[in-house]
Amino acid sequence: MLNISQKTRETVFIILLFLVPFLTPATALLSGLIVAFTIGNPFIQHNKIFTKILLQASVVGLGFGMNLTEAMEAGKTGFVFTIFSIALTMGL
């Protein structure tokens, strides 16, 4: 990790954060790895809060991208499989 001040790390982190929406997912992932290994996470004390909020937002975003008909069909198939596997496990 680079030896730079906390204020500089925070500034670089925030500037890079604003560039993420303009990157492809692969480039954003690579950029995140580079930042993590060079300057680290300057907001580590807030990590638990940010992670919870970002995970919830990601799940909601995934839900908006789903086709409702396909999701219902997958749910029916998954439900039958779940019931069968639970019954088989309990029986064994």
Side-chain angles (χ1 to χ4, degrees), residues 49-91:
I49 297 166
F50 291 156
T51 302
K52 181 180 177 183
I53 293 169
L54 287 172
L55 181 60
Q56 290 173 345
S58 298
V59 170
V60 170
L62 284 171
F64 279 121
M66 292 178 62
N67 182 332
L68 186 58
T69 308
E70 291 177 12
M72 294 293 286
E73 188 62 37
K76 288 178 191 174
T77 306
F79 183 73
V80 171
F81 177 75
T82 302
I83 295 296
F84 177 73
S85 61
I86 290 173
L88 181 65
T89 303
M90 296 299 267

Side-chain angles (χ1 to χ4, degrees), residues 9-88:
R9 289 173 57 207
E10 290 173 359
T11 304
V12 169
F13 190 86
I14 290 171
I15 290 170
L16 292 174
L17 191 63
F18 281 107
L19 296 176
V20 169
F22 303 106
L23 302 175
T24 64
T27 309
L29 184 61
L30 179 62
S31 301
L33 286 171
I34 292 170
V35 168
F37 287 125
T38 56
I39 68 170
N41 183 354
F43 301 105
I44 197 73
Q45 67 273 16
H46 303 294
N47 201 34
K48 185 176 181 181
I49 297 166
F50 291 156
T51 302
K52 181 180 177 183
I53 293 169
L54 287 172
L55 181 60
Q56 290 173 345
S58 298
V59 170
V60 170
L62 284 171
F64 279 121
M66 292 178 62
N67 182 332
L68 186 58
T69 308
E70 291 177 12
M72 294 293 286
E73 188 62 37
K76 288 178 191 174
T77 306
F79 183 73
V80 171
F81 177 75
T82 302
I83 295 296
F84 177 73
S85 61
I86 290 173
L88 181 65

